Each structure stands twice: as C-alpha cells, then as structure tokens.
Amino acid sequence: MQIPMKKYHIVFEKLNQFNKHIKSIYSHDQLFVITDENVFSHYENKVKKALSDFNVSFTVIPPGEKSKAFDMYLHVISDLIAKGLKREHMIVALGGGVVGDLAGFVAASIYRGVPFIQIPTTLLSMVDSSIGGKTGIDLPEGKNLVGAFYSPKIVLIDMDFLQTLSPREYRNGIAEVIKAGLIGNPTLYAQVRRPIELNSMHLKAAINVKKALVDSDPFDKKERMFLNFGHTFGHAIEKHFNYERFKHGEAISYGMIIAIEIGNKLNITPASLYDEVKGTLSSWQLISDPVMTKDRFVTDILTDKKNTADGFHFILLEAIGKPVIKILQKDDIL
Ligand code: ADP
Ligand code: ZN
C-alpha cells in the first residue's frame, strides 16, 4: 500500500506578503531559516524586514553542492539545537536546490520531523527541486544517496529573487522549463523555444507539469520517471566531468539531445525534433557546438550499476508532449 503524499500549496507572492502566509499555517513566533552565504548576503535584511512578525534566526552554510554532505547536515542540526529549535518550530529553506535538499532532510529527520517551508531563490529550485518532496544529501559514493520524501508545508515563490541570480544560474533553470515543455506542455515549449523573459505563467506551467506527474506517482515508480527525460545521460555527463564543468541544466540539455538521438535511431522520435530542440538549447546557450553525442558517454552509462540489471528505463519522446518509458538493452544505445 502506498501512503498518499500530503498536498501543499505553491504560492506566488511578493516577499513582503510572506508574513501573512506563514502566519496562516504557523502559530509560533520563531522561524529557523537555513540559507547559504550568497543568499544571506543579498537578502538577510530584506528577509528580516519581511518576516518582522517573527523572531528569525539564520543558519548559514557555504554555497555549492559540497554543502550537501553529512558533515554539513550534522553542523546544521547542532546549530539549530543550540539556537533552541523545538519540535513544533518551523524550519525555512531559503535558497537554491542545495539549501532546499539539505534543509528539507534536516527538517525530515531532526526530532523525527519538524515542519518546514521552502522559499526557492534560484529558477531551478522554483520550477524543479522545491516541488515533489524529495530531500537529501550526497555521499562520497554518489549524489542524493541518503534522504527522505518529506513535503514542505508551503512553497513561497517571489520571482524578484531571480534579479540577483547570475545569467548562467538563470539559464540552468531554463533547461528544466524546456524539459517540462517537451515532456508535458507543447504550448509552454513553443513559448520558450527562443530566449524571452520568463513570467510567473511560464513558471506555473512548468511546475504544473512536474506536480501532475508527482501527484500521480509520489514515490517515483512510474509516471514520475518522465521527469528523468535527459537525465540518464545528463547525470553521466555531470559525473564524467566531476560535477565541475557543467551545471545540472547544461548537462541535462546535452542529455535531452542524446535522448532524441537515441529516439531517432530507434525510430521512436521524429528526425526533425533533433534540430528543433538543438536550436532551442543553443539559443539559450545551454549547449554549444560541437554537440556531444551518446558515444562519448555510453561506457559511463553501461558501467553504472543501477542501469545494468534487466536493461534500463529510458525516457524517449514520440513527439513534443508525448514521452514514453522504454526498457533499453545495450544494443539499443550503442
Ligand atoms: P540550484 O541547485 O538551485 O542550482 P544552488 O543551491 O547550488 O542551486 O545555488 C546556485 C548558486 O546560486 C549558489 O552559489 C547560490 O548561493 C546562488 N544563489 C541562490 N539564489 C540566489 C539569488 N537569488 N541570487 C544570487 N545568488 C543566488
Ligand atoms: Zn533535473
């Protein structure tokens, strides 16, 4: 039996309105914000002012994926206990995917779970990582190997946070918006196929693609796998270059191109989609020529333990908005 995930709200609102939303779901006066140094330096004062009805404490971690680690998890937990966190108190994850994943896992596990709120500050976290209830940390053996499904009480999104985001970080999030369009919303895809300034409608459309798949498959056994479009090769590419050369959005952009290349080879994906999607990803500067092809990473994929048992699940496109799960064997991708 599966336990349905609790539903929660994703609210688009200005930061100065966050007070009232938090009050509507939380009756204590202390908030324990977890954030990283960059976000803290940009937003400490604004957040304190916006949440002035609360007594706000900050736990600040160094930025970057290296913070999604067990020692940082322990550090944050000790800091929260030292600051007086009790089980009924609220944790606030203020930041990108790193902060969200780590703070979410802290919230899921400290005192066997305290409530938490997500305030995503990167485009990637607004459209992707803050939605769906996955939290966790990395181990030396690999990424996201320890974690929990644990949903926030509310996700509060103010797109003004994006004004201070670097262009490369911004584009990193666009890759997931394009992916959402490709797997679940052809209209969204058509709107973002050339660079434009995104508005809340685009973000909501991308979030809805993810939410619909997550709600129908909260524990990631079936439909949710569509979200992995571009991610099999994307993850292999990130890892191949030690997570240094490519950001997640860039790696999955190449991964999407490779998934289309394989779909073309198996006569599942129309040939014209290759140039179409390549044009989109190039115009957003997510990929550049010469585009990497599957051959360079096939060995990484085939030697990845989780992929070899009975072939591996691979997401291909029959058309824009029509993903399919295929179990592929070695020969299918060679
Ligand atoms: P993601 O997984 O969402 O890409 P990270 O948590 O790794 O995000 O954040 C990416 C980088 O952007 C980090 O260096 C982080 O400190 C920085 N960052 C996050 N939000 C903002 C913001 N609103 N303005 C400026 N920098 C930010
Ligand atoms: Zn992704």
Side-chain angles (χ1 to χ4, degrees):
M1 195 198 84
Q2 291 201 338
I3 305 156
M5 299 271 284
K6 274 189 244 126
K7 297 271 188 286
Y8 55 92
H9 294 290
I10 299 160
V11 178
F12 281 74
E13 202 41 293
K14 293 290 175 207
L15 176 59
N16 62 17
Q17 300 296 308
F18 284 11
N19 240 337
K20 78 169 190 239
H21 286 282
I22 298 176
K23 273 187 163 164
S24 73
I25 55 163
Y26 179 58
S27 55
H28 298 273
D29 65 358
Q30 267 162 300
L31 287 175
F32 295 79
V33 176
I34 302 172
T35 191
D36 75 22
E37 286 159 6
N38 295 334
V39 178
F40 185 69
S41 68
H42 282 292
Y43 295 104
E44 178 193 4
N45 293 331
K46 284 186 184 140
V47 168
K48 273 187 185 153
K49 198 168 157 219
L51 303 181
S52 56
D53 288 353
F54 296 96
N55 193 339
V56 182
S57 79
F58 287 89
T59 298
V60 184
I61 62 170
E65 188 74 24
K66 287 205 171 60
S67 283
K68 250 178 82 174
F70 188 67
D71 57 345
M72 196 58 67
Y73 166 81
L74 275 186
H75 166 80
V76 170
I77 291 209
S78 304
D79 192 58
L80 291 172
I81 294 173
K83 286 183 163 117
L85 178 86
K86 301 285 183 289
R87 7 177 89 96
E88 61 279 8
H89 283 149
M90 182 77 82
I91 287 177
V92 178
L94 172 74
V98 167
V99 166
D101 285 5
L102 174 71
F105 185 48
V106 166
S109 52
I110 191 168
Y111 309 142
R112 300 199 182 87
V114 304
F116 90 115
I117 291 172
Q118 290 267 20
I119 303 180
T121 62
T122 63
L123 183 57
L124 185 71
S125 58
M126 288 176 188
V127 298
D128 191 60
S129 50
S130 69
I131 318 297
K134 284 187 180 178
T135 70
I137 56 176
D138 304 332
L139 295 183
E141 290 84 353
K143 292 209 352 169
N144 297 320
L145 291 186
V146 175
F149 286 100
Y150 194 67
S151 293
K153 294 291 169 207
I154 193 168
V155 181
L156 295 167
I157 299 181
D158 178 357
M159 288 182 71
D160 286 351
F161 279 113
L162 302 177
Q163 285 167 11
T164 51
L165 200 61
S166 74
R168 190 173 176 206
E169 290 293 350
Y170 185 81
R171 294 196 296 268
N172 195 29
I174 298 285
E176 296 282 2
V177 176
I178 294 169
K179 182 202 78 180
L182 286 172
I183 62 170
N185 188 333
T187 309
L188 173 65
Y189 175 76
Q191 288 165 343
V192 300
R193 64 190 286 282
R194 290 296 174 268
I196 50 156
E197 179 147 2
L198 296 197
N199 61 39
S200 62
M201 291 299 150
H202 301 116
L203 266 63
K204 284 176 193 168
I207 288 168
N208 280 336
V209 169
K210 177 157 186 178
K211 243 191 132 283
L213 294 170
V214 167
D215 287 348
S216 64
D217 177 22
F219 296 105
D220 203 359
K221 303 257 155 67
K222 300 186 301 270
E223 294 90 342
R224 189 167 178 157
M225 281 191 215
F226 290 153
L227 295 164
N228 288 340
F229 177 60
H231 281 58
T232 305
F233 275 89
H235 286 148
I237 292 169
E238 282 180 277
K239 197 165 162 197
H240 189 95
F241 295 103
N242 268 321
Y243 300 96
E244 280 161 10
R245 170 127 168 238
F246 295 109
K247 300 213 155 279
H248 179 69
E250 295 161 351
I252 66 153
S253 294
Y254 287 107
M256 289 191 274
I257 289 292
I258 292 173
I260 293 174
E261 180 193 355
I262 292 171
N264 289 160
K265 170 172 142 38
L266 299 176
N267 282 324
I268 291 169
T269 309
S272 60
L273 265 196
Y274 190 88
D275 286 339
E276 166 55 42
V277 176
K278 186 177 164 211
T280 297
L281 297 169
S282 308
S283 71
W284 278 104
Q285 293 173 263
L286 282 161
I287 60 174
S288 55
D289 275 318
V291 169
M292 297 186 287
T293 59
K294 67 178 172 58
D295 296 341
R296 190 157 170 201
F297 305 102
V298 165
T299 321
D300 301 270
I301 299 281
L302 295 177
T303 53
D304 187 338
K305 284 193 223 63
K306 64 180 190 285
N307 285 331
T308 46
D310 55 345
F312 55 93
H313 294 79
F314 206 88
I315 311 304
L316 300 173
L317 287 184
E318 285 178 351
I320 294 177
K322 278 197 85 182
V324 280
I325 304 178
K326 295 281 173 192
I327 297 176
L328 300 186
Q329 305 301 326
K330 193 174 163 186
D331 286 348
D332 295 325
I333 61 164
L334 281 180

